[in-house]
Structure formats: structure tokens, C-alpha cells
Amino acid sequence: MKAAVIGHPIAHSKSPIIHQYWMEQYGVQGTYEAIDITPENLKNDIQRLIDGGYEGFNVTLPHKQNIIQHCHEIDKTAQAIGAVNTVKIIDGKLYGTNTDAFGFIENLKSHVADFSFENKTALVLGAGGASRAIIYGLQQQNISKIIVSNRTIENAKILADDFDIEIIEWDKKETILPQTDLLVNTTSLGMAGKPPLEMDIATLKSDAVVSDIVYSPLMTDLLIGAKNKHNQYVTGIGMLIHQARPAFQAWTDILPEVTGELEALVLK
Ligand code: ATR
């Protein structure tokens, strides 16, 4: 396997740790590097990867949208999400997909084994790229209802139109908690160095599941609140690792497993 993750900045990417771990576990020879590519150099540097015989690469900020114009084809998942995070190179052409929805759903299922999406309402906080992927994933599971809430309501309206879902104003989001079965934070709030997510979840249904995409800290204030209320909760590290599985599979034909050892390695 000859693969990479491209982005700018890229130094803090966890992807090399994940893919190198699996290469070792599954006896796959090759390399997986982090390559810093600036937006101006995107076209030229991708050509270098093609010429260099790479099987493919992951794409992170700020290229997840701009890569699309360089793809020969993107699948329906990437189209719906509007971003590509995984590319497979075949005969010098780029084929793009997006594995973030898979990552979110697989992580949720792996932590809440009996979670059923039937007759369930999700409240999704945030309207960025991660939110689009999670909403798409939830719709693929046929969840009954999704309500999105975002600080900038215009951004929530774009999602509401694209995915045909409901909106609740940011300062009224708590009013939805008594009917929420799945609460997901897709914003950067609560991340180390970012402002806190100030949300009182006292009225959240007692059997609701709470999920946060922030994994630094692993236990965000939101998840601590859920734990204290005895709600089931899902941390953000799993989504990051699960989204890497289909990429590894695209390049090696092996769908790798997530282990506790790998989670610990990524969190270190
Ligand atoms: P990504 O594409 O990685 O999800 P993003 O597009 O920067 O990242 O989205 C970040 C999300 O966090 C957005 O929903 C953003 O809300 P806005 O659309 O109002 O910008 C949300 N967010 C970031 N900082 C926030 C803050 N201080 N308060 C509330 N929401 C915030």
C-alpha cells in the first residue's frame, strides 16, 4: 500500500498512526505519510501522487471540497455530503468517497449495540461538514426525525433544505431535549482551546444517547453531563478511527477492526 493524508496544516493528523497500526496488524507492506499541501499546489501535488504510484489518499482540511473538481468520479455519499475525504487512484484517475457518515454510524453501533433508529428523533448541533456527514448517515439508517440547531441559522437552513430536516433556533435547542433520543454535538465547542458548549441537558430523555465528535478532551462537558445523568454516551475518538476503515479497505481489500489498543494509541 502506498497512501497518504493530504491537508494544510497536517502535522497533527492522527491518520498515519491509524493506518500504520493496521499495516502492521495485517502484515501490509508500504507507507502512509502525512503530506502538507497548500491550496495553490493542490493540482500539481495530486499529480505527483498519481505519478508516484499511490493507491490513494485521505483528504482533510482545507481540501475536502476543492478535491472534488480533480476527481474523475465521486460516489453518491460524497455527493450528498458535498465533500470527499477518501480517494482511490485507478489508472491515474481519482475516485472520491466520504467515509465520515460510516464512521459516525459504525461508532454509534459499536457502543450502543441495540440502538434502533426506528421512531427516533435526533438533535444535531452544528451545520458544518461533520454535521452534513452525520445527518446523511442518520438518514441512511432511516431515522424518523432530525432537527438541526446552529448558532448561525442561515447555515442550518442550507442543511434543512438539502436534507429536508427541521430546524430549532440555537437559543431554543434545550426545548427539544424532552423529545430527543439521540443528541449529537458536531460543533467544535468543548474542544480544548475552544469555548465550552453551554447546554443544560437536565430535561433530556433518560434513555437518550449522547454523542460528541470532539475527542480532545475525550470526556467533554457534554459527555460528563450525560454520564452523570446515567444516559448512554459515545465519545468522539471512535468516529475518527471508524472513518479510516473503508479507506484502508479501498487500498488493501482488508476492512480492519478497531481495537482498544488502537484507541489508546491515537489518544496518546
Ligand atoms: P466542520 O466543517 O469541520 O464541521 P465548521 O464548518 O467550522 O467545521 O463548523 C463548525 C461548527 O461549529 C459550525 O456549525 C459552527 O457554527 P456557525 O455555522 O455558526 O459558524 C459551530 N461553531 C463554531 N464555533 C462556535 C461557537 N462559538 N458557538 C456556536 N457554534 C460554533
Side-chain angles (χ1 to χ4, degrees):
M1 164 175 136
K2 195 169 176 188
V5 55
I6 66 166
H8 181 75
I10 199 65
H12 297 292
S13 171
K14 303 284 188 189
S15 293
I17 297 171
I18 298 170
H19 287 280
Q20 286 163 9
Y21 172 85
W22 284 331
M23 286 168 66
E24 202 177 306
Q25 289 295 305
Y26 293 94
V28 173
Q29 299 293 315
T31 54
Y32 184 101
E33 316 140 73
I35 303 178
D36 196 305
I37 296 182
T38 60
E40 312 82 74
N41 290 334
L42 184 60
K43 189 168 190 277
N44 285 341
D45 286 355
I46 302 170
Q47 190 57 46
R48 273 191 231 214
L49 299 182
I50 296 171
D51 296 341
Y54 283 72
E55 262 103 42
F57 51 90
N58 287 121
V59 185
T60 188
L61 300 180
H63 305 309
K64 283 181 160 192
Q65 277 97 34
N66 288 337
I67 193 74
I68 294 174
Q69 59 188 301
H70 302 290
C71 290
H72 179 67
E73 208 176 285
I74 67 170
D75 69 4
K76 78 175 200 334
T77 305
Q79 280 172 33
I81 297 169
V84 161
N85 77 342
T86 301
V87 168
K88 185 173 166 76
I89 304 174
I90 305 170
D91 293 335
K93 294 196 174 88
L94 310 187
Y95 293 82
T97 186
N98 191 308
T99 65
D100 285 335
F102 173 94
F104 176 77
I105 298 294
E106 288 295 305
N107 185 40
L108 176 62
K109 285 181 176 174
S110 77
H111 284 88
V112 191
D114 53 355
F115 190 83
S116 137
F117 295 85
E118 216 178 307
N119 298 320
K120 293 288 170 66
T121 295
L123 173 58
V124 177
L125 309 179
S131 177
R132 292 186 73 91
I134 288 166
I135 288 168
Y136 179 77
L138 291 172
Q139 288 190 331
Q140 289 300 108
Q141 299 297 316
N142 295 315
I143 196 161
S144 305
K145 189 167 167 181
I146 301 174
I147 303 168
V148 64
S149 189
N150 193 55
R151 173 183 60 178
T152 310
I153 195 138
E154 286 73 23
N155 295 339
K157 281 181 180 153
I158 296 170
L159 265 75
D161 283 350
D162 287 356
F163 294 98
D164 195 19
I165 57 174
E166 295 179 26
I167 300 182
I168 183 82
E169 284 167 54
W170 186 246
D171 58 8
K172 296 202 178 74
K173 58 188 181 300
E174 279 90 353
T175 64
I176 300 298
L177 292 174
Q179 62 179 83
T180 295
D181 302 291
L182 176 64
L183 171 62
V184 189
N185 175 43
T186 79
T187 73
S188 50
L189 296 175
M191 193 187 293
K194 294 280 162 74
L197 170 65
E198 278 157 5
M199 189 170 188
D200 180 359
I201 60 165
T203 59
L204 180 65
K205 283 174 78 172
S206 60
D207 59 352
V209 175
V210 180
S211 171
D212 202 327
I213 70 160
V214 172
Y215 59 84
S216 176
L218 189 63
M219 284 303 287
T220 58
D221 287 348
L222 177 67
L223 297 182
I224 292 169
K227 187 179 182 194
N228 289 343
K229 246 173 71 62
H230 306 292
N231 282 79
Q232 280 190 280
Y233 63 90
V234 182
T235 67
I237 192 67
M239 178 177 173
L240 176 76
I241 302 179
H242 277 279
Q243 64 77 30
R245 296 172 63 214
F248 192 81
Q249 185 182 33
W251 307 321
T252 64
D253 284 333
I254 299 164
L255 185 62
E257 293 304 320
V258 176
T259 63
E261 186 186 34
L262 177 55
E263 286 193 355
L265 207 61
V266 173
L267 285 170
K268 212 162 64 181

